[in-house]
Amino acid sequence: MPKTKKPAGEPFVNLHTHSFYSILEATASPLQILEKAKSLDCPAVALADTGMGHGLVEFFEKSEQVEGVKPILGAEIFVAKDSRFERRAGVDGHEGYLVLLAGNETGYKNLIRILSLAALEGFYYRPRADWELLEKYRDGLIVLTGATGGLIGKMLHEFGEKKAEAIFKKTQETDKTNRED
């Protein structure tokens, strides 16, 4: 990996990092991500691979080798337009995503449930969850909106501000239980 200057000021925590388990999106191994975070004095780093959790166990186990960097387990999950069971040509399979991070052990178990059901029941071009799954298994999860290709950015670009705001409010409701503690 290329050398990078250590940032000055407040510590930085990347909450949306891909490893080589995100096919064609990254080349770093979970260990390399942790080592890079340590070299930059990051107190933590999140692994949020695309649609799957294949690297989460390795990431957690390798974190024991890298002192001072807390692993945050997560995933980038695509959200079906309507239902994860729908498979409509030209409509489904082009969804935006949300980033889900496990805030605790319950969140990790719920993240794995969502990823498993997205792959088993919602696969259409890629694993997809829906709002039913996100609401049912929201406990312990922290929901991030993602980048411009994320669900809200995509809604804003394709359908305008009102649709994006409605989806944002839905996302807030999914994340709500974790903010009331």
Side-chain angles (χ1 to χ4, degrees):
M1 297 182 96
K3 286 194 171 198
T4 309
K5 282 185 172 180
K6 289 184 180 183
E10 295 296 315
F12 174 75
V13 176
N14 192 329
L15 298 176
H16 188 180
T17 310
H18 293 280
S19 74
F20 58 44
Y21 289 103
S22 289
I23 307 299
L24 301 177
E25 293 185 16
T27 58
S29 71
L31 180 59
Q32 288 173 317
I33 291 167
L34 290 158
E35 289 172 339
K36 188 64 168 182
K38 183 170 179 69
S39 77
L40 295 172
D41 294 328
C42 298
V45 63
L47 181 66
D49 280 321
T50 305
M52 302 283 183
H54 297 318
L56 294 177
V57 172
E58 179 183 345
F59 184 66
F60 185 78
E61 289 175 348
K62 296 292 184 184
S63 72
E64 294 174 3
Q65 298 174 21
V66 183
E67 193 175 316
V69 179
K70 178 183 177 184
I72 302 170
L73 306 177
E76 181 182 284
I77 187 73
F78 290 92
V79 181
K81 288 190 191 295
D82 296 310
S83 167
R84 67 188 180 276
F85 299 106
E86 293 285 336
R87 288 165 176 79
R88 300 166 294 189
V91 176
D92 297 304
H94 306 287
E95 296 82 8
Y97 63 85
L98 295 172
V99 175
L100 304 179
L101 302 176
N104 53 34
E105 187 175 344
T106 299
Y108 174 73
K109 289 176 181 177
N110 284 334
L111 175 65
I112 297 304
R113 285 183 183 108
I114 291 169
L115 289 170
S116 297
L117 292 169
L120 294 171
E121 298 175 349
F123 198 94
Y124 187 65
Y125 292 98
R126 56 182 149 216
R128 302 171 309 138
D130 57 15
W131 292 105
E132 176 192 359
L133 284 180
L134 293 172
E135 289 168 8
K136 184 175 182 179
Y137 298 112
R138 70 186 182 182
D139 290 343
L141 290 174
I142 298 164
V143 182
L144 306 179
T145 59
T148 55
L151 186 61
I152 293 170
K154 204 163 184 162
M155 289 296 127
L156 182 62
H157 177 72
E158 291 178 14
F159 301 105
E161 197 172 314
K162 285 188 180 191
K163 180 71 173 177
E165 187 174 343
I167 295 295
F168 180 70
K169 286 181 180 177
K170 207 170 196 179
T171 303
Q172 283 181 310
E173 282 301 310
T174 301
D175 192 52
K176 185 178 179 184
T177 58
N178 301 306
R179 302 293 179 221
E180 294 174 350
D181 296 348

